[in-house]
């Protein structure tokens, strides 16, 4: 399996935003009306063989990242939230997964792709 890297940034919107980011665009700070949560927030529950790199890299929000090098069907991140919108921000790269599954209330709502020919931080 391809290595899987996910810098979890949970961004919730509680109101309208004057600027709307485009899918795949680098977004290094939250927009007006959004709250951002880093991958090391205690509200995230990780299942699987997640590893952590806290090198302080500016590429990762908060300077760290959680990742999986050998992914399995049991790997997950769970968290509770209330809101009307949700963004998951990650680094895109050619070695990333093109089939990341998203579930809300244990129902698959879709998949998203973090594979890209060139690296884009916080996309």
């Amino acid at each position: 399996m391809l290595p899987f890297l996910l810098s979890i940034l949970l961004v919730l919107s509680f109101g309208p935003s004057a600027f709307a980011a485009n899918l795949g665009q680098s977004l290094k700070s939250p927009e007006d009306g959004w709250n951002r949560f880093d991958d090391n927030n205690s509200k995230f529950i990780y299942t699987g063989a997640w590893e952590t790199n806290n090198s302080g890299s500016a590429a990762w929000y908060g300077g760290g990242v959680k990742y999986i090098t050998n992914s399995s069907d049991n790997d997950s991140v769970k968290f509770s939230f209330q809101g009307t919108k949700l963004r998951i921000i990650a680094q895109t790269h050619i070695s990333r997964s093109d089939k990341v599954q998203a579930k809300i209330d244990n129902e698959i709502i879709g998949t998203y792709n973090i594979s890209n020919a060139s690296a884009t931080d916080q996309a």
Side-chain angles (χ1 to χ4, degrees), residues 45-113:
I45 301 167
Y46 294 90
T47 302
W50 291 87
E51 298 179 42
T52 301
N53 180 334
N54 286 319
S55 68
S57 172
W60 306 316
Y61 184 79
V65 65
K66 295 220 184 328
Y67 61 96
I68 294 173
T69 54
N70 295 306
S71 61
S72 75
D73 289 340
N74 297 323
D75 300 327
S76 68
V77 179
K78 294 181 181 182
F79 52 90
S80 295
F81 79 97
Q82 290 182 333
T84 58
K85 298 178 184 177
L86 169 71
R87 289 182 180 160
I88 298 175
I89 299 175
Q91 181 190 58
T92 63
H93 189 273
I94 196 154
S95 66
R96 308 297 184 254
S97 177
D98 63 348
K99 295 176 187 157
V100 181
Q101 197 174 76
K103 292 181 181 181
I104 295 181
D105 295 332
N106 219 20
E107 180 181 330
I108 298 171
I109 59 161
T111 60
Y112 59 97
N113 179 356

Side-chain angles (χ1 to χ4, degrees), residues 9 13 25 29 32 34 44 58-59 89-90 95 97 104 111-112 116:
L9 298 175
S13 175
Q25 171 186 358
S29 62
D32 288 341
W34 289 81
F44 293 112
I89 299 175
S95 66
S97 177
I104 295 181
T111 60
Y112 59 97
N116 192 17

